[in-house]
Amino acid sequence: MPLAIFALTIAAYAIGTTEFVIVGLLPTVATDLDITLPLAGLIVSVYALGVTFGAPILTALTSRIERKPLLLGLMALFIVGNTGAALSPSYEMLLVARVFSAFAHGVFFSVGSTIAADLVPENRRASAIAMMFMGLTVAIVTGVPIGTHIGQIFGWRTTFWAVAALGVIAFAGIAALLPKSLSRATPASLVDQLRVLSSGRLLIVFAMTALGYGGTFVAFTYLAPILQEITGFSPESVSLILVLYGVAIAIGNISGGRIANTNPVKALIGLFLLQALVLFAFSFTAASPVPTLVTLAALGFLSFANVPGLQLYVVQLAKEHRPGTIDVASALNIAAFNLGIALGAWLGGKVVDSALGLAATPWVGAVLVSLALLLTLWSGALDRRSTGALQAA
């Protein structure tokens, strides 16, 4: 792989770390800024919404900018966002800083994947994109627990300083290694985006993505306080548990692709069912350390195992119902993932702030995933009806 690919991988690692590291630091941030846990949880929601709505708009607005200056500008924005987070004197300023980082996140992955593909021969494009996205996976396995550990020892602001430093390294790597002449992809028109959003079949899958992926975040957003207040783990143990969770996520992501290769709908039905059951079980196992670790390993595996199947299913339906808009449909499904994170984190905050309390977040998440399961069954039934109609014709 060209060295420029590794510069993109480092950037993806930094971005992945800043997105999820806040989960392990919520109790620390809440205490330091003197805010409630639900308010701290909104830090996760605001970031996800920034990615959801900022990515398509900013990608379209920046389509005429040369690719290398654009990436450098995005990493500069990322550095500013994380530096602002480290310096934030108040909760409101922290939210603003997180939005800046989120804008950089959304456009980077939209543009970075096409750049990675252009840097290698055609027969190695998938491997180049996978290498770049490996930075995101490795961030979940190592960056999040390390960042959480740093924040618990030296304060949460130090974590954001460290992430900003990673951004500086990525900026230098892109500046030194990325070629100046890179092709620009034709941006999707507003008409193409509206064509995708006017398809009822694709809207069902986007809802499956938001509910199925976002359901876990009802509890995951508040995982640190659950582990500390309900299970009884020490704050120092949380970072180690996040390593276990991250490894399970990585295994689940890889395995999910293999499971969904043949029949994504059948795979998603099984995965959503298991995910809902494990989330429901977590409401009971959270009271004991060993059952909690077993449950979290299963939950980590299942929470990301559905990602490949959801993406593959969107591509299949786009080919059938909206030919020529596959890239747009895929990008909108990525937005649905982040919308799910925002929804899950927001709903989790409402649950924590209600009479149900922190312990109810897992089973409420299970309800969201169950809704995704029902939508998947419905969509599968529509597929069979459509196939039957074609065969009859």
Side-chain angles (χ1 to χ4, degrees):
M1 289 290 169
L3 288 176
I5 297 287
F6 295 100
L8 296 176
T9 304
I10 293 170
Y13 180 85
I15 291 170
T17 299
T18 203
E19 178 178 19
F20 293 115
V21 75
I22 192 67
V23 168
L25 297 174
L26 279 191
T28 309
V29 173
T31 301
D32 186 61
L33 295 180
D34 193 24
I35 57 175
T36 64
L37 270 178
L39 277 178
L42 285 179
I43 299 170
V44 178
S45 293
V46 165
Y47 186 97
L49 287 175
V51 177
T52 302
F53 297 106
I57 296 171
L58 291 177
T59 300
L61 291 176
T62 57
S63 62
R64 298 184 183 278
I65 301 176
E66 294 295 330
R67 301 295 88 178
K68 183 172 182 177
L70 175 58
L71 277 190
L72 290 174
L74 292 173
M75 291 317 300
L77 182 62
F78 176 83
I79 295 166
V80 168
N82 283 281
T83 301
L87 293 172
S88 295
S90 66
Y91 170 69
E92 292 77 16
M93 289 303 297
L94 177 57
L95 290 180
V96 172
R98 292 288 287 170
V99 169
F100 277 108
S101 299
F103 285 164
H105 175 142
V107 184
F108 175 84
F109 282 107
S110 175
V111 174
S113 56
T114 61
I115 292 175
D118 286 342
L119 290 172
V120 296
E122 189 169 348
N123 64 341
R124 301 193 68 193
R125 287 182 173 180
S127 297
I129 293 172
M131 176 65 73
M132 187 193 82
F133 275 92
M134 186 184 293
L136 192 59
T137 305
V138 175
I140 296 171
V141 178
T142 64
V144 172
I146 291 173
T148 300
H149 189 62
I150 290 172
Q152 289 170 341
I153 295 176
F154 302 105
W156 62 271
R157 297 177 190 276
T158 307
T159 298
F160 284 109
W161 281 119
V163 174
L166 282 175
V168 172
I169 294 171
F171 182 96
I174 291 169
L177 301 174
L178 208 66
K180 291 183 178 180
S181 56
L182 291 165
S183 60
R184 291 200 301 266
T186 304
S189 67
L190 180 60
V191 173
D192 286 336
Q193 295 187 42
L194 291 175
R195 282 183 63 208
V196 171
L197 291 175
S198 67
S199 167
R201 293 304 315 279
L202 286 169
L203 287 177
I204 292 174
V205 188
F206 296 152
M208 287 162 49
T209 297
L211 294 170
Y213 187 72
T216 299
F217 279 82
V218 179
F220 179 63
T221 303
Y222 298 94
L223 184 59
I226 288 173
L227 293 174
Q228 293 175 39
E229 297 177 23
I230 297 177
T231 315
F233 284 108
S234 66
E236 294 75 19
S237 302
V238 172
S239 56
L240 294 176
I241 295 169
L242 286 172
V243 173
L244 168 70
Y245 194 83
V247 170
I249 283 174
I251 296 171
N253 200 23
I254 295 169
S255 303
R258 295 175 179 174
I259 294 169
N261 270 335
T262 307
N263 189 331
V265 175
K266 186 177 179 181
L268 288 170
I269 289 171
L271 290 171
F272 283 149
L273 176 60
L274 290 173
Q275 188 180 347
L277 291 173
V278 170
L279 274 168
F280 184 74
F282 188 30
S283 297
F284 301 94
T285 61
S288 305
V290 174
T292 290
L293 295 179
V294 174
T295 306
L296 284 180
L299 185 59
F301 178 93
L302 292 166
S303 61
F304 274 63
N306 56 35
V307 173
L310 287 165
Q311 280 293 93
L312 177 59
Y313 192 38
V314 162
V315 169
Q316 289 180 353
L317 288 183
K319 285 180 180 178
E320 181 181 349
H321 298 279
R322 291 293 185 271
T325 62
I326 294 172
D327 290 343
V328 178
S330 181
L332 287 173
N333 202 43
I334 295 296
F337 280 113
N338 285 281
L339 186 61
I341 294 173
L343 172 66
W346 172 81
L347 184 57
K350 291 294 183 183
V351 173
V352 171
D353 213 16
S354 72
L356 295 172
L358 190 61
T361 53
W363 70 256
V364 172
V367 172
L368 288 192
V369 177
S370 298
L371 293 175
L373 173 60
L374 292 176
L375 287 174
T376 308
L377 291 168
W378 181 26
S379 190
L382 292 175
D383 288 341
R384 290 190 295 274
R385 186 184 302 173
S386 176
T387 302
L390 285 173
Q391 289 173 347

